Amino acid sequence: MTAELVRGQNHPLTQTRLEIRVSVGRPVVAGATLADDQGRVLGTEWVAHPGAPTLPGLEVSKQAAADHRLAVDLDALPEQVGRVHVLLALPMGVGGPVRFGALPAPFVAVTGLDGAEVASYTVTGLDAESAVVAMELYRRQGAWKVRAVGQGYAGGLTDMLADQGLTQAKDLATAINDAVSRGLARSVAPPPPRSSGEARVRTTRSEADTTADHPAQSGAGQPGQSVQPGRTPDTPAGGQSPAPQTPAAAPQPPGGPVDYQHPGRRTGAPPPPPPTAPPSRPGESARPVAGDATGWSMEERLYNQVWGMFEDLARTTAAYRSAVDFADSRREQELDSALSDPRNRIGGAGDAAREAARAKHASLVDRAREALDRDLAHLTAESAVVEPALPTAYARWDNPAWQAYSVPMEIPMAVRLGDLHLPESDRLRIPMLVRLPLERGLWIDSGRLASGASTFADGGDLRRLAMDTAVTHAARLLAVYPAGEFAVHVIDAAGAAAGSLAPLLGAGVLAEPPATGAAGVTALLAQLTRRVDLVQMAIRSGAADALPPDVDTAQHLLVVNDFPHGFDDRAVTQLRYLADEGPDVGVHLLMVADREDAAGYGPLLDPLWRSLLRLTSVVDDHLADPWVGHTWTYEPPIVPPGSQVLGQVLSRVAAARRPWNQ
């Protein structure tokens, strides 16, 4: 039975290998400190945080997230450690909340390796605090206990770390915030929170065996867990979803007709998913079907299904990695125990101990791989059904849906920017879908990649390929928006991208010829900056109908090639302004740049890079998921060699736009 603690209450711990689960509802930083019996932290190396997530007996998340899982092995802690403090803090400088009072009360639970909660604590009463010591694990007379603390700090990380005796608290807080900012800049944004009625119903996943020797296969909906048939983490017991409700009318923001929210959003619980195809033979799992998720339309169901597949793959891989780590740790402990006696280090007893430890390790790893392969087989089968059913906005360029393309009448929910996969599932590709309208700009990195994924000998080849990729993204965005509701502008200061821009120029779908030279850069940036200023003022004053007739309220995309070439200081400032303020009023940035080329600006451009979603023109592992922080390999969208699909789609877009341009 779970002990629900209040502030100051403690509870004994009977297990030494534990997980601490944190749920807040918005991305927060989770960390921990190792302290002596008096609560003093002996140095910065005793603090586990996103920049240094692993300490002996302790591991924390590598990035800010709404949900965290901290692993603690009390037996593996250094001997002088008497307390472990669990810390939460709001990430600074990323545009999120600055006080815990603006968020739901953080929930912290201590669980065993079987997923059973030992104790939980809801941290209530927070207001202006931006950092909090949520819990502490402490040793008293040789036994470990957990105590609910809930001590908040309005001064943030610096004050909290200083209160634990760290003289370098300010420097460490800065390093933590920098690590968090880098993590958020490379993170794939999760879909908006869904109500219980919008939970993705999964009816074909098999439940993995739960054993004490294989702790990573327990519970539901968490990393290291399999999903029970007919249940999801958001589905009530019994596998039933709430009855559909009548959707309420979407509220109109102040400012009249200028509304840059997606027009198709609905509120209330959506209808349930369609029935799952029955098994073809008795005893088999139900066959996967396209649209096996809740939603108001097939498009929304497919969107939720794809995100569910992404989440399932992240969590089942986390289960496998956790099980392998556990097997490795157990093998080392058994070997250390068996060989601690000098008499067993030589002879038959030592050899037998080594062989038994290796056999046990192999058995645990094999069982973990069996569970992973079972989940991967289902996800692969589901992908084979879902991929051909995707609408054009979600489809690969080789999908036959593009052959029957027609300009849409409504804006889709999302757009596909490429594919994602993990090393354990190299053949399974998950579509990378990003909600529309875009909430942040895109950066196509044209530099050499740290992963060494690029095999191009000439940096010019990378730059051309990066611009080709940017044009492909721009063409897809043009294709998925209704005629007259999306415009593309291009800055090509050196005029070096004529070859890459040929599909857009040949179809005549650009708003105007590409801006070249310093004068062209200045004029186009001034035009878009003026538009952002006027639309912002119109929305804030509620006078959207008073906009000048030359101000177009459609969505705009600015493609910038080879930044910062051709940009002076004023132009750089304007570009930063567009990246920060533009998305809220329908101006989006698609930048092709090598960060090394802008090194002369120093930290001035760091906020710009962090505000953009970094993509690449070649396969590269640089994106992270928002659940467990896996490093995902990203594959950019590629038009099949020799295919005319891009030209055909753009010609139809151009034909549909002509009446709007007359």
Side-chain angles (χ1 to χ4, degrees):
M1 183 175 180
T2 304
E4 298 181 1
L5 306 180
V6 297
R7 185 172 182 176
Q9 187 178 2
N10 61 47
H11 185 76
L13 297 174
T14 59
Q15 305 177 52
T16 58
R17 289 179 60 84
L18 304 165
E19 280 190 344
I20 300 174
R21 300 181 181 179
V22 179
S23 179
V24 184
R26 292 289 298 272
V28 299
V29 183
T33 57
L34 303 181
D36 59 19
D37 291 332
Q38 284 70 47
R40 294 189 300 269
V41 181
L42 303 182
T44 57
E45 67 277 7
W46 291 64
V47 181
H49 57 83
T54 304
L55 294 177
L58 179 64
E59 184 173 0
V60 304
S61 303
K62 298 179 181 179
Q63 64 180 39
D67 298 287
H68 292 272
R69 291 160 52 93
L70 284 64
V72 181
D73 186 348
L74 298 175
D75 287 340
L77 295 174
E79 184 178 355
Q80 58 268 50
V81 173
R83 298 188 185 185
V84 179
H85 295 113
V86 179
L87 317 177
L88 305 178
L90 296 175
M92 297 290 104
V94 296
V98 295
R99 62 187 187 91
F100 273 106
L103 299 177
F107 176 79
V108 186
V110 179
T111 74
L113 291 181
D114 58 357
E117 286 189 6
V118 177
S120 64
Y121 173 44
T122 301
V123 189
T124 58
L126 299 177
D127 186 12
E129 296 88 347
S130 59
V132 61
V133 179
M135 271 185 173
E136 71 170 353
L137 312 181
Y138 66 99
R139 184 169 51 201
R140 182 68 53 84
Q141 297 178 349
W144 283 91
K145 297 183 178 182
V146 57
R147 177 187 289 124
V149 180
Q151 176 62 54
Y153 296 83
L157 269 172
T158 301
D159 285 5
M160 180 170 61
L161 295 171
D163 194 38
Q164 298 195 28
L166 284 172
T167 57
Q168 310 96 330
K170 185 175 181 180
D171 293 340
L172 179 57
T174 300
I176 293 174
N177 283 322
D178 288 345
V180 171
S181 296
R182 291 193 299 270
L184 288 175
R186 70 188 187 96
S187 177
V188 181
R194 291 176 288 173
S195 66
S196 60
E198 294 179 282
R200 176 171 176 264
V201 178
R202 304 304 302 272
T203 59
T204 55
R205 292 288 302 276
S206 58
E207 181 181 6
D209 295 334
T210 303
T211 67
D213 287 338
H214 194 178
Q217 308 295 331
S218 62
Q222 294 293 339
Q225 302 160 351
S226 291
V227 180
Q228 300 178 26
R231 289 289 303 278
T232 69
D234 297 326
T235 303
Q240 300 299 319
S241 297
Q245 301 174 4
T246 302
Q252 294 295 328
V258 181
D259 180 6
Y260 289 101
Q261 298 299 314
H262 192 286
R265 300 289 183 265
R266 298 196 191 183
T267 59
T276 303
S280 57
R281 296 184 181 89
E284 289 187 355
S285 299
R287 298 191 302 274
V289 296
D292 183 19
T294 57
W296 293 103
S297 64
M298 178 56 76
E299 177 194 6
E300 185 174 358
R301 289 175 176 176
L302 288 168
Y303 172 83
N304 289 334
Q305 187 172 14
V306 168
W307 264 102
M309 293 165 59
F310 179 44
E311 183 175 353
D312 282 352
L313 181 56
R315 295 192 190 283
T316 194
T317 303
Y320 171 72
R321 294 179 180 179
S322 176
V324 172
D325 289 344
F326 172 75
D328 292 344
S329 175
R330 179 172 182 143
R331 178 184 57 185
E332 296 304 318
Q333 290 179 4
E334 290 179 350
L335 288 174
D336 290 344
S337 176
L339 301 180
S340 59
D341 187 345
R343 292 172 298 180
N344 292 336
R345 294 176 186 171
I346 56 177
D351 293 339
R354 294 186 188 93
E355 185 59 32
R358 294 190 184 102
K360 185 67 173 178
H361 175 269
S363 175
L364 292 175
V365 172
D366 289 344
R367 290 164 58 188
R369 186 71 211 191
E370 181 181 355
L372 175 67
D373 289 343
R374 185 168 57 245
D375 288 344
L376 290 181
H378 171 79
L379 286 170
T380 301
E382 187 174 13
S383 176
V385 172
V386 169
E387 188 72 48
L390 294 177
T392 51
Y394 305 172
R396 296 166 57 97
W397 284 109
D398 57 2
N399 192 306
W402 286 106
Q403 302 301 324
Y405 167 79
S406 61
V407 177
M409 301 298 293
E410 295 181 353
I411 303 172
M413 288 187 61
V415 67
R416 186 173 189 160
L417 296 182
D419 293 321
L420 300 169
H421 71 270
L422 291 171
E424 290 85 352
S425 53
D426 187 61
R427 292 181 295 177
L428 177 61
R429 300 294 187 269
I430 305 295
M432 179 180 171
L433 302 182
V434 176
R435 291 291 284 263
L436 293 178
L438 296 173
E439 296 179 357
R440 60 195 295 198
L442 306 176
W443 163 32
I444 312 298
D445 192 348
S446 61
R448 295 192 177 275
L449 307 177
S451 65
S454 172
T455 58
F456 291 86
D458 183 5
D461 291 338
L462 270 177
R463 295 176 190 272
R464 285 190 293 273
L465 187 57
M467 190 59 188
D468 290 345
T469 304
V471 169
T472 303
H473 286 306
R476 180 179 287 263
L477 287 167
L478 275 167
V480 302
Y481 270 84
E485 295 192 22
F486 197 83
V488 175
H489 312 265
V490 176
I491 289 179
D492 183 21
S500 298
L501 292 170
L504 301 178
L505 293 171
V509 293
L510 294 180
E512 67 274 311
T516 58
V521 172
T522 301
L524 184 52
L525 289 176
Q527 171 190 334
L528 293 176
T529 301
R530 172 178 175 269
R531 182 198 175 281
V532 170
D533 290 339
L534 290 175
V535 174
Q536 279 185 337
M537 289 188 291
I539 292 176
R540 291 169 182 169
S541 63
D545 54 351
L547 283 169
D550 63 328
V551 175
D552 181 8
T553 57
Q555 301 280 322
H556 291 254
L557 178 71
L558 174 60
V559 181
V560 179
N561 181 44
D562 204 18
F563 174 82
H565 183 82
F567 282 70
D568 56 21
D569 291 344
R570 177 178 174 79
V572 169
T573 301
Q574 288 178 314
L575 191 70
R576 287 185 55 190
Y577 175 75
L578 292 177
D580 292 339
E581 303 294 334
D584 288 338
V585 291
V587 175
H588 311 283
L589 182 62
L590 174 53
M591 190 167 72
V592 178
D594 179 357
R595 191 166 182 173
E596 291 299 321
D597 292 343
Y601 287 94
L604 176 67
L605 291 183
D606 285 352
L608 173 63
W609 304 116
R610 289 197 296 264
S611 70
L612 304 175
L613 174 61
R614 176 176 172 258
L615 303 175
T616 56
S617 57
V618 296
V619 176
D620 186 46
D621 52 348
H622 69 278
L623 291 172
D625 66 71
W627 297 288
V628 291
H630 290 321
T631 298
W632 291 74
T633 298
Y634 168 77
E635 294 184 6
I638 298 176
V639 178
S643 173
Q644 303 299 317
V645 63
L646 190 62
Q648 294 170 0
V649 168
L650 289 176
S651 65
R652 294 173 189 174
V653 171
R657 289 165 54 95
R658 289 189 189 105
W660 294 87
N661 297 330
Q662 292 176 355

